[in-house]
C-alpha cells in the first residue's frame, strides 16, 4: 500500500515511515501543506496520515480541500488535541479516524489496517479463495495447505490484487503503489514480482491473468 504522511516533526515522521516500510508499505513524506498538496496532486494513495499543526497552516484545511475535491482516500488524523470537540470536528470534516499524540506505533498500525479494511468493504483480515488463504496482516499465504513465504513487495502486490479480484491493474498503477518517488524503477520490476507470485500460486485456484497492453488481474477459478 502507498501512504502519504503529512507531518512536520522529522523524527516522528522517520519513525512512522520506518515502521510502515518494514511491513512493505511505501510512504511519501510531506513536512508542509504545500508539499502535501503537490504529492496528492501527483500520486494516488491508499491512505493519508495527517498532522494538524503544520508550519504553513492547519491540516484541517488540507482535509477540507481534499474532501471538497471529491477525494475519497481514507484519512487518519494525528493530533495532540485531546478535547472531544476537536476530535468530533475532524470527523465531521471527513476524517476516517484519529490518533492522539503521543501514540503507540502498534496502535497506529492497527488503525491503518482497520481503515483499509473498511475501504475494501470487509471486516476480515483473512481472505480465502478456494484452496488459497491469504492473511495480509500476518503476512501469511497458504496454497493447498502449504505455507508460502512472501517477501514484502510480493506481499503488498498480492494484497492489492486480492482486495480487488477481477479488477485490472495497469503496470504503472502497480509501480505507483509499490514504489516511492525516491526509487528509480521501471515497469519491468512489476513483471518480476508478478512472475514470483505466479510461481507461488502455481496449481492453485488463483491465477494472475495478463491483459496485454492493459495490465494484470487476479482471477479465481473456484
Amino acid at each position: 500500500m502507498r501512504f502519504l504522511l503529512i507531518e512536520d516533526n522529522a523524527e516522528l515522521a522517520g519513525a512512522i515511515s520506518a515502521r510502515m516500510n518494514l511491513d512493505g508499505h511505501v510512504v511519501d513524506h510531506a513536512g508542509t501543506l504545500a508539499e502535501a498538496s503537490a504529492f496528492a496532486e501527483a500520486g494516488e494513495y491508499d491512505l493519508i496520515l495527517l498532522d494538524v499543526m503544520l508550519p504553513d497552516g492547519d491540516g484541517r484545511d488540507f482535509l477540507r480541500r481534499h474532501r471538497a475535491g471529491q477525494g475519497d482516500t481514507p484519512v487518519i488524523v494525528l493530533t495532540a488535541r485531546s478535547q472531544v470537540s476537536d476530535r468530533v470536528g475532524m470527523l465531521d470534516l471527513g476524517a476516517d479516524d484519529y490518533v492522539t499524540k503521543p501514540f503507540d506505533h502498534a496502535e497506529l498500525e492497527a488503525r491503518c489496517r482497520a481503515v483499509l479494511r473498511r475501504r475494501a468493504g470487509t471486516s476480515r483480515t483473512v481472505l480465502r479463495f478456494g484452496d488459497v488463504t491469504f492473511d495480509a496482516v500476518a503476512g501469511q499465504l497458504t496454497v493447498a495447505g502449504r505455507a508460502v513465504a512472501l517477501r514484502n513487495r510480493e506481499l503488498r502486490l498480492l494484497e492489492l490484487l486480492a482486495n480487488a479480484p477481477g479488477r485490472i491493474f495497469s503496470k504503472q498503477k502497480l509501480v505507483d503503489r509499490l514504489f516511492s518517488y525516491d526509487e528509480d524503477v521501471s515497469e519491468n520490476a512489476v513483471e518480476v514480482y508478478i512472475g514470483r507470485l505466479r510461481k507461488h500460486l502455481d496449481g492453485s485456484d488463483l491465477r494472475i491473468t495478463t491483459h496485454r497492453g492493459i495490465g494484470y488481474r487476479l482471477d479465481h477459478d473456484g
Side-chain angles (χ1 to χ4, degrees), residues 67-86:
R67 294 303 185 219
Q70 305 303 311
D72 63 352
T73 304
V75 176
I76 296 179
V77 174
L78 311 178
T79 178
R81 300 181 179 184
S82 58
Q83 295 294 323
V84 172
S85 59
D86 288 325

Side-chain angles (χ1 to χ4, degrees), residues 8-181:
D8 67 322
N9 184 314
E11 184 177 354
L12 177 58
I16 293 173
S17 296
R19 288 289 294 257
M20 297 301 178
N21 290 159
L22 283 175
D23 283 338
H25 300 297
V26 175
V27 180
D28 290 322
H29 171 227
T32 65
L33 288 178
E35 291 176 352
S37 296
F39 274 122
E41 290 174 5
E44 183 177 350
Y45 294 94
D46 298 288
L47 181 67
I48 296 173
L49 300 173
L50 173 65
D51 186 22
V52 174
M53 302 302 293
L54 294 160
D56 55 344
D58 193 314
R60 289 172 296 187
D61 293 332
F62 175 91
L63 177 58
R64 189 179 291 108
R65 291 194 299 270
H66 178 65
R67 294 303 185 219
Q70 305 303 311
D72 63 352
T73 304
V75 176
I76 296 179
V77 174
L78 311 178
T79 178
R81 300 181 179 184
S82 58
Q83 295 294 323
V84 172
S85 59
D86 288 325
R87 300 197 300 268
V88 169
M90 287 181 281
L91 293 171
D92 284 342
L93 280 176
D96 295 86
D97 200 355
Y98 63 86
V99 178
T100 304
K101 297 178 180 179
F103 52 79
D104 187 277
H105 287 280
E107 178 187 359
L108 176 60
E109 291 169 343
R111 289 182 179 272
C112 289
R113 291 193 295 266
V115 167
L116 290 169
R117 287 198 302 271
R118 289 200 297 271
R119 188 190 192 200
T122 178
S123 61
R124 298 175 297 164
T125 61
V126 179
L127 300 176
R128 292 182 173 84
F129 304 91
D131 60 355
V132 176
T133 301
F134 177 55
D135 185 342
V137 174
Q140 296 176 343
L141 172 66
T142 302
V143 178
R146 171 177 54 89
V148 176
L150 294 176
R151 298 179 182 179
N152 276 340
R153 284 217 169 94
E154 294 169 2
L155 170 66
R156 295 310 165 197
L157 174 56
L158 181 56
E159 182 180 17
L160 282 170
L161 298 173
N163 278 323
R167 174 184 171 184
I168 299 176
F169 289 85
S170 69
K171 286 184 182 179
Q172 186 56 55
K173 183 173 288 293
L174 292 176
V175 167
D176 290 343
R177 296 298 183 89
L178 294 172
F179 301 94
S180 70
Y181 288 120

Side-chain angles (χ1 to χ4, degrees), residues 199-220:
K199 289 181 180 178
H200 292 320
L201 298 172
D202 187 40
S204 74
D205 293 332
L206 277 183
R207 54 191 170 85
I208 300 175
T209 305
T210 299
H211 293 260
R212 195 167 301 279
I214 302 176
Y216 301 101
R217 184 177 73 185
L218 188 69
D219 290 315
H220 178 211

